[in-house]
Amino acid sequence: MDKLSGDSRYSGFGPLYQLLDRESSCNFRDEAVDLEMNCSYVSWVATANHVSGIPEAILS
């Protein structure tokens, strides 16, 4: 997770906001493969060496 905050031109956290919200993750569209899927039943596990660069909304 701490590696996502490295590039200021693109935020890797953007899709996580939608995926971690139970209501909006029901209709998640993967833009890379143009496929809509229900991700509300996925259990997410993440690791980080340093949490200082991770937004509070993602940490909670």
Side-chain angles (χ1 to χ4, degrees):
M1 296 288 296
D2 53 337
K3 307 299 186 246
L4 289 176
S5 60
D7 191 350
S8 61
R9 295 172 294 161
Y10 172 75
S11 172
F13 293 112
L16 289 176
Y17 289 112
Q18 184 180 4
L19 287 168
L20 294 175
D21 179 51
R22 184 119 168 113
E23 204 169 298
S24 65
S25 66
C26 292
N27 298 316
F28 179 76
R29 176 166 294 282
D30 187 329
E31 295 176 5
V33 292
D34 195 30
L35 180 68
E36 189 169 306
M37 60 191 93
N38 181 352
C39 296
S40 63
Y41 296 103
V42 175
S43 296
W44 300 99
V45 177
T47 63
N49 293 323
H50 306 282
V51 296
S52 59
I54 302 172
E56 287 292 324
I58 299 292
L59 289 174
S60 69

